[in-house]
Amino acid sequence: MLALRLARGSHPLVLLRRLSVAAAAAGTGFLLLSTVGHAAGHPSAADESLVRLLWCAAPLAATAQFAVSTARTDPAARLQRGMAAAGLGPLRLTLLATASTALTCLLGVLLALLAFLRLRGDLGGPGGSGSLGIDSALLGAGHPVPLAGALLLLATVPVTAAVATAVALRPRNENGSRETAGRPRTAPPSGLPWGIALAAAGLAIEAYTSPGPHAPGGLLPLPGRLIGSPPGMLAGWALSAFGLVLAGPGLVHLCGRLLCAGRPGALRLLSGRVLQEESHRLGRPLGVLCAVGSAAYAAVKVYEASPARPFGPLTAVGAAVVLVCVTASALTAALESRTARAHTTAALRRLGASASVLHRAAALRGLALVLVLAPLTWTVAEMATLPLVH
């Protein structure tokens, strides 16, 4: 009840982020339900249905990450003056954020269930593609769907998001603070060599296990295309993606080091120091964004080499959910970083720094990140597609 009251009194921007999480949960829930419909309509193609279900792990993870990012920036989840006296300590605030995330995702999956049943024609009226371009045969129209299995799959979306939120926002020391005060954090350059090594190992596995451009059953990194392809290809791509995520904080810290190299002026020094300080907060979301960007680029390259295999509507839904979630998570992390630097920014303004200087510093930080991360993302994607399109 308290979570609902806080949601009603939230700022419009906070409500918009929560509605975005609900939309992401709806898209993921619809994909999960489509796997149930496919299994019901094609009982002899159990392997393909299982592959479709496994590919739903990507939008599910992206939705959970977006939900955690939204919960981090939610004002209701922060320890404010007077809340402890009212009985809302750090643990209860974490539980409150977890409940809010679960309710938001629950709303999304219920909308997905209604859309799924409507497109199948189970709610009366004709089913079919309509304006969404989704053929009812893909959803198993005309075949009974096990309600218990469908609801169990839908429950994984709010449960996963809620558990991820509880783990991310849990109090981490005896005083109940989420900050790890008194304990030195691991330096982000330490994850950089490991991340690069994992990415290189993943690319090597992909090259070794790829069947070649003319071999049957070549891997297409999208739902429904893994039948008959070597499982090492998927493992190699997953290893490369994990390497990019692990190297994310180190890459952001490296961008800051490069800006501060030589004899930097005030603008470069300010930009570089901010990137080094915020590398822990910005690194992982940007690493995920790079991993998803490389996968999207590789998928487009592979489909250009195989024009006979067009994108399907469910593939488009899954790709949209993942891309929107990881992009929104990166933007939310940037907003969280800006909020964390509010006192520093105010101090700089009192010392005489103009707003234009702060804006140029922010633009310089963004440019440095693009110049370092974009070529790396493109290189990983190109190397991943070499065995498939050349």
Side-chain angles (χ1 to χ4, degrees), residues 158-203:
V159 169
T160 302
V163 170
T165 301
V167 172
L169 300 184
R170 72 190 187 278
R172 296 182 180 178
N173 57 25
E174 297 178 356
N175 296 327
S177 174
R178 295 188 184 97
E179 299 294 333
T180 55
R183 290 186 298 174
R185 295 183 298 181
T186 304
S190 64
L192 184 59
W194 285 106
I196 294 177
L198 287 177
L203 293 175

Side-chain angles (χ1 to χ4, degrees), residues 244 251 255 286 289-290 293-294 297 366-382:
L244 286 177
L251 291 173
C255 292
L286 288 178
L289 183 60
C290 291
S294 65
Y297 180 82
L367 179 62
L369 290 174
V370 170
L371 291 178
V372 172
L373 297 181
L376 177 63
T377 302
W378 178 82
T379 302
V380 171
E382 280 289 331

